[in-house]
C-alpha cells in the first residue's frame, strides 16, 4: 500500500529526522502492507513550531472562511471515500461496508457539521457591561487511537480548525496510513501550511514528546485509561489544557416491559460492531431475573450469526481484531471469565473455525456474570458481551453505576418516559433510549474515569476556545 516516508509538516511532506520505521500489518492475513517513519522529538518539535507559526494567521481568518476550508476538506473525504475505506479495512480489519458507511461516513458528517458550526457559532457574547470573546486556545496536540482511525482524527481536527486553533496529530501506530490519507486531503482542501501537521511514531516517543512540548497549549487524547492518566499528569504539571476520551464498560439496561428480542439484538450488534473495539460499546447487558434465560438464549443465537470472515469480502459481518496483542488480550479476558465462574454460552478463547491466520476472535456471550467479576469491570475491547441478572430497578441501577467508567449506556423500557427516568440516574455521558440513534451533534464524553471533556457538536467546539472579557 502507498505510504509516505516523511512527515506532513508546514504544508509539505518533509523527511523524518530519524531512520526507524513502523511496519503496518493487515490483521486479516498478518502480512506487512507498508511502513511509516517513526517520528522522534525533533519531528514533533518541527511540527509544533510550524503549528505555532501558522496560528496567528489562522486564528485571524474569518470563521466563515474557516468553515469553507472545512467544507472543502469534507468534500475531499467524500471524493476519496472508497480509497480511505480500503486502507482502513487493510490496517484495522473492520469490514469493508462498515469502513465506508461508518469509518468514513461519520467523519464526513462530523467535518461537515463543523464547517457549518464555524460559520454560525457565536464567538462573542454580551454579559452585562462585558463583551466576552471566545478565542482559540492555541496549538493543539492530538494523540489518537486506531479503533476509528479517521473519526478520532476528525473529531479533534475539525473543531480545532473551526475554533481557529492549529494542530499536530500523532496517530496510532497500527493505523498511520489512514492518517496520511487524511493529511493528503488537508492539502487538497487548501488548508494553509502549518495549520494541520502529522507526525507518525510510537506513543512512548512521539506521543510523549507532543504531550510534553511547551509549545502545545491543549493536549487532546483518546485511548486507554492508563495512558490517559500519564497525559493528564503531564498536562497538569505544565498547567495546560487537557481533554481525555478514555475507555468504557457501558451498561445496556433492559427493564421489564421492553421489547426484549429487539433490545438483545441491538445490544449484540453493538458489541460485535468493529469487532468490539468501540469505547462506547454496550458490553454489559442487564436483564431482570424473570426474563434472564430468555435473554441469554436470544443473545447466543444472535451472536452466532456473526461469523468471522475476511473483512474485504462485503458479506463478512465480523473482521479480525487490530493486532496480535489485542487478540491475546481479549482471549485472556475470555479465559478469566471462565476461571471466575461465568457461563460461556457461545464463542470462547479458541481461534474461530476456518480462520487459521488473522487476529480473529469469535463473538462471545457470557451468562451468570456477577458485578465483581473482571469481565464485568474491565474494558475488554473485543466482541464479548457479559449478561448480568438484576432483581429490581434499584439493583439494576447499582450494577449499572458500579464500575469506574461512565462513558455511555442504554435503557429499554415499555415507554420512553420510564426509560428516561432511569437514564437520569445513570452515571454516564450518553444514554440511548429505546434504541435511539447515534447523534454527531450531541456531546460525547465520559463521567468518572471515562474522561475529561466532550467531543462533537457545539460542546466539542467549546473545548478549543478560551474566554476573554472586555468591560465597558
Ligand atoms: P493506547 O492508549 O496505548 O494508545 C492510544 C494512543 O496513545 C496511540 O496513539 C499511542 O501511540 C499513544 N500513546 C501510547 N503511550 C503513550 C504515551 N506514553 N504518551 C503519549 N502517547 C502515548 O491504547 P492501545 O494500547 O492501542 O489500546 C489499549 C486499550 O486501550 C484497548 O484495549 C482499549 O481498552 C483502550 N482503547 C480505548 C480507546 C477509546 O476510544 N477510548 C481506543 C483505543 C484503545
Amino acid at each position: 500500500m502507498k505510504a509516505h516516508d516523511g512527515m506532513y509538516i508546514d504544508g509539505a511532506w518533509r523527511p523524518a529526522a530519524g531512520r526507524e520505521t513502523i511496519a503496518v500489518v493487515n490483521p486479516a492475513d498478518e502480512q506487512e502492507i507498508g511502513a511509516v517513519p517513526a517520528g522522534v522529538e525533533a519531528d514533533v518539535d518541527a511540527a509544533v513550531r510550524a503549528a505555532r507559526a501558522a496560528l496567528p494567521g489562522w486564528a485571524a481568518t474569518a470563521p466563515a472562511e474557516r468553515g469553507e476550508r472545512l467544507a472543502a476538506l469534507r468534500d475531499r473525504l467524500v471524493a476519496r471515500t472508497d480509497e480511505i475505506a480500503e486502507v482502513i479495512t487493510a490496517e484495522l480489519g473492520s469490514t469493508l461496508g462498515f469502513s465506508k458507511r461508518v469509518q468514513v461516513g461519520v467523519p464526513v458528517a462530523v467535518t461537515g457539521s463543523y464547517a457549518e458550526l464555524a460559520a454560525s457559532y457565536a464567538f462573542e457574547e454580551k454579559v452585562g457591561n462585558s463583551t466576552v470573546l471566545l478565542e482559540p486556545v492555541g496549538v493543539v496536540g492530538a494523540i489518537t487511537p486506531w479503533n476509528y482511525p479517521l473519526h478520532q482524527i476528525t473529531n479533534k481536527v475539525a473543531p480545532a480548525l473551526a475554533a481557529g486553533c492549529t494542530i499536530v496529530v500523532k496517530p496510532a501506530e497500527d493505523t498511520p496510513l489512514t492518517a496520511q490519507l487524511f493529511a493528503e486531503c488537508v492539502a487538497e482542501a487548501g488548508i494553509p501550511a502549518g495549520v494541520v501537521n502529522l507526525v507518525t511514531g510510537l506513543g512512548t516517543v512521539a506521543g510523549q514528546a507532543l504531550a510534553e512540548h511547551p509549545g502545545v497549549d491543549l493536549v487532546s487524547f483518546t485511548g486507554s485509561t492508563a495512558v490517559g492518566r500519564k497525559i493528564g499528569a503531564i498536562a497538569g504539571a505544565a498547567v495546560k489544557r487537557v481533554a481525555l476520551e478514555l475507555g468504557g464498560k457501558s451498561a445496556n439496561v433492559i427493564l421489564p416491559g421492553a421489547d426484549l428480542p429487539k433490545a438483545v439484538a441491538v445490544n449484540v450488534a453493538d458489541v460485535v460492531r468493529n469487532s468490539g473495539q468501540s469505547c462506547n460499546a454496550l458490553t454489559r447487558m442487564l436483564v431482570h431475573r424473570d426474563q434472564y434465560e430468555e435473554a441469554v438464549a436470544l443473545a447466543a443465537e444472535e451472536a452466532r450469526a456473526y461469523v468471522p470472515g475476511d473483512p474485504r469480502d462485503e458479506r463478512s459481518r465480523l473482521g479480525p481484531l487490530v493486532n496480535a496483542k489485542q487478540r491475546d488480550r481479549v482471549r485472556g479476558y475470555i479465559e478469566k471469565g471462565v476461571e471466575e465462574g461465568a457461563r460461556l454460552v457461545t464463542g470462547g478463547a479458541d481461534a474461530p473455525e476456518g480462520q487459521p491466520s488473522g487476529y480473529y476472535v469469535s463473538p462471545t456471550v457470557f451468562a451468570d456474570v456477577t458485578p465483581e467479576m473482571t469481565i464485568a469491570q474491565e474494558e475488554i475491547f473485543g466482541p464479548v458481551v457479559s449478561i448480568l441478572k438484576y432483581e429490581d430497578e434499584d439493583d439494576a441501577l447499582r450494577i449499572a453505576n458500579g464500575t469506574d467508567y461512565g462513558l455511555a449506556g442504554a435503557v429499554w423500557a415499555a415507554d420512553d418516559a420510564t426509560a428516561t427516568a432511569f437514564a437520569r440516574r445513570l452515571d454516564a455521558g450518553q444514554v440511548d433510549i429505546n434504541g435511539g440513534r447515534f447523534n454527531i451533534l450531541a456531546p460525547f464524553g465520559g463521567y468518572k474515569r471515562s474522561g475529561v471533556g466532550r467531543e462533537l457538536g457545539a460542546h466539542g467546539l467549546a473545548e478549543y476556545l478560551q474566554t476573554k472579557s472586555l468591560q465597558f
Side-chain angles (χ1 to χ4, degrees), residues 144 146-147 170 173 203 207-208 221 224 246 279 326 329 379:
T144 59
W146 40 263
N147 60 341
K170 204 304 281 175
E173 292 86 331
Q208 187 149 340
F221 169 81
S224 63
L246 309 177
C279 45
Q326 284 298 119
R329 194 168 174 267
E379 185 173 49

Side-chain angles (χ1 to χ4, degrees), residues 302-378:
E302 196 66 36
R304 286 188 197 108
Y306 292 89
V307 181
D310 189 334
R312 289 160 290 196
D313 181 342
E314 296 258 7
R315 290 162 302 180
S316 292
R317 298 181 76 189
L318 179 63
L321 268 69
V322 68
N323 58 34
K325 189 173 144 218
Q326 284 298 119
R327 188 254 333 256
D328 295 345
R329 194 168 174 267
V330 172
R331 284 183 174 173
Y333 274 116
I334 296 172
E335 282 161 4
K336 189 103 183 156
V338 173
E339 262 166 49
E340 291 184 4
R343 171 165 44 118
L344 184 65
V345 186
T346 189
D350 296 339
E353 251 174 66
Q355 301 295 352
S357 68
Y359 310 125
Y360 292 94
V361 173
S362 295
T364 297
V365 176
F366 275 112
D368 302 341
V369 179
T370 52
E372 73 291 347
M373 285 182 186
T374 307
I375 58 168
Q377 288 293 329
E378 294 185 14

